[in-house]
Amino acid sequence: MRKHKDLLAVLRHNRQRVTPARRFLLQLFIDNHSRSLSLPEIQAHLQDRLPGINRSSIYRNLEMLKALSIIQELRVVRKGRRYQFVFERPVHHFIICKACGKVSKGKRGFFEQVERSLQDIHDFKKANLSVTFYGFCSRCRVG
Amino acid sequence: MRKHKDLLAVLRHNRQRVTPARRFLLQLFIDNHSRSLSLPEIQAHLQDRLPGINRSSIYRNLEMLKALSIIQELRVVRKGRRYQFVFERPVHHFIICKACGKVSKGKRGFFEQVERSLQDIHDFKKANLSVTFYGFCSRCRVG
DNA sequence: CATATTAATGCATCATGTTGCAAATAGTTA
DNA sequence: TAACTATTTGCAACATGATGCATTAATATG
């Protein structure tokens, strides 16, 4: 698990300025590295610490963190977007149930198999690959 | 390739009424079964034939066609949503380049491998599984 | 074919996400 | 540490998407 300071260095290294909003955002993601956060959660957290912070700043900062692969965006059916801290983790993929919205982390072996197939059959780049699977988990399947 | 009439029967079988908007939508997807359509394209097409049709009707009908697995929604980075006719096709998955937005259809062998891994390792239901991969295609990869 | 029943539509409104631009601020340099 | 410059922010406006409800239209029934 990376610390706040390390992530600030990542920002600087990518010529991104360290602003109060960004500090709070990073700390929030670090403190919740084991789960994904909803947009309302993120907004509430920032509003608390920076009253009056603008919606567009939040969106733009989330975009930036996504671009630096510090967080990943997940789309959960009927539950909007969620954001997960993924910085320097080997496995960045998720499996999301279309029925109940349950988000599971992919297991390493599965990821490796998919990666291999994707590379062999479709010539898709391994690095920076992020994959999310939508299907029906065992509890929600009907038949 | 299914015909218009067959799809109307699918709607009726699912207790969905056949309205002018739905007829035009289905015909549009049939006529363009080999490619995905953008929302502006769909809207323009319907506006032409049903002047004054409401945005929300279009969204609701697209939702319905998705729910019946007649079409599938694809999210292309910086290019919005696209809709692809997928009714009764064995392979409903796509591979999308995050850099150029290129959408390719997944090859059968790849799909089968992923499906197997997903079933074995994650106990995810095979039927109704729809998967979209986002990564970098060979033309866009940097390193 | 007239009427009843139920679902789809249009409309209004709200929620969410995007963008151009002027003002504010972080990082840089003297 | 004051001034410079480049990026980020807030703001306003707009685009897109979702929703409750009255009206309209598709289907079922007599």
Side-chain angles (χ1 to χ4, degrees):
Chain A
M1 247 297 300
R2 285 304 191 122
K3 302 223 190 59
H4 196 159
K5 247 176 51 180
D6 299 319
L7 288 172
L8 298 186
V10 173
L11 292 202
R12 291 203 182 89
H13 183 255
N14 286 277
R15 287 163 219 79
Q16 299 296 320
R17 292 184 176 178
V18 174
T19 65
R22 291 173 176 186
R23 286 178 188 279
F24 288 127
L25 256 184
L26 287 175
Q27 195 57 56
L28 175 64
F29 279 112
I30 290 171
D31 292 344
N32 294 279
H33 63 274
S34 60
R35 67 190 197 90
S36 63
L37 301 169
S38 68
L39 209 64
E41 267 180 295
I42 295 170
Q43 285 186 324
H45 185 89
L46 288 186
Q47 289 288 352
D48 266 10
R49 285 155 186 78
L50 297 169
I53 185 175
N54 198 275
R55 229 157 15 106
S56 57
S57 298
I58 300 178
Y59 286 124
R60 284 190 274 226
N61 281 325
L62 289 173
E63 275 308 304
M64 187 267 289
L65 296 181
K66 270 165 62 183
L68 298 187
S69 298
I70 291 174
I71 62 173
Q72 181 171 333
E73 182 183 291
L74 311 174
R75 305 255 184 173
V76 184
V77 185
R78 286 180 304 279
K79 297 194 181 174
R81 308 179 178 192
R82 297 186 70 84
Y83 296 88
Q84 169 71 49
F85 185 73
V86 296
F87 186 65
E88 285 193 349
R89 295 193 185 173
V91 175
H92 297 176
H93 73 298
F94 301 93
I95 300 192
I96 301 179
C97 180
K98 292 170 87 164
C100 67
K102 183 186 168 203
V103 178
S104 339
K105 290 181 190 156
K107 290 177 189 159
R108 183 158 192 79
F110 171 64
F111 187 60
E112 281 162 1
Q113 285 179 27
V114 170
E115 197 173 67
R116 220 171 7 251
S117 309
L118 201 51
Q119 177 68 59
D120 292 351
I121 302 185
H122 283 289
D123 192 26
F124 235 48
K125 191 188 172 77
K126 167 193 160 97
N128 263 318
L129 177 71
S130 79
V131 179
T132 306
F133 294 90
Y134 294 91
F136 293 94
C137 71
S138 49
R139 290 193 46 197
C140 292
R141 69 171 62 158
V142 192
Chain B
M1 249 295 301
R2 285 305 192 122
K3 302 221 190 60
H4 197 159
K5 247 175 55 181
D6 300 317
L7 289 171
L8 298 186
V10 173
L11 293 202
R12 292 204 180 90
H13 183 255
N14 286 278
R15 287 163 221 78
Q16 299 296 320
R17 293 181 177 181
V18 174
T19 66
R22 292 172 176 187
R23 286 177 187 279
F24 287 127
L25 256 185
L26 288 175
Q27 195 57 55
L28 175 64
F29 279 112
I30 291 171
D31 293 344
N32 294 277
H33 62 274
S34 60
R35 68 190 196 90
S36 64
L37 301 170
S38 69
L39 209 64
E41 267 180 295
I42 295 170
Q43 286 186 324
H45 184 91
L46 287 186
Q47 289 287 353
D48 265 11
R49 285 155 185 79
L50 297 169
I53 185 174
N54 197 274
R55 228 159 16 105
S56 58
S57 297
I58 299 179
Y59 287 123
R60 284 191 275 226
N61 282 324
L62 289 172
E63 276 308 304
M64 187 268 289
L65 296 181
K66 269 166 63 183
L68 297 187
S69 298
I70 291 174
I71 62 173
Q72 181 171 333
E73 182 182 289
L74 311 174
R75 305 255 184 174
V76 184
V77 186
R78 286 181 305 279
K79 297 195 181 174
R81 308 179 178 192
R82 298 186 68 84
Y83 297 88
Q84 168 71 48
F85 186 72
V86 295
F87 186 65
E88 287 194 347
R89 295 193 186 174
V91 175
H92 296 177
H93 75 297
F94 300 93
I95 299 191
I96 300 180
C97 180
K98 291 169 90 165
C100 66
K102 183 186 167 202
V103 178
S104 339
K105 290 180 189 157
K107 290 178 190 158
R108 183 157 192 81
F110 172 64
F111 186 60
E112 281 162 1
Q113 286 179 27
V114 171
E115 196 172 66
R116 219 168 12 248
S117 309
L118 202 51
Q119 178 67 57
D120 292 353
I121 300 184
H122 283 288
D123 192 26
F124 234 49
K125 191 189 173 77
K126 167 194 161 95
N128 263 320
L129 176 71
S130 79
V131 178
T132 306
F133 294 91
Y134 294 91
F136 293 95
C137 71
S138 48
R139 290 193 45 199
C140 292
R141 68 173 60 159
V142 191

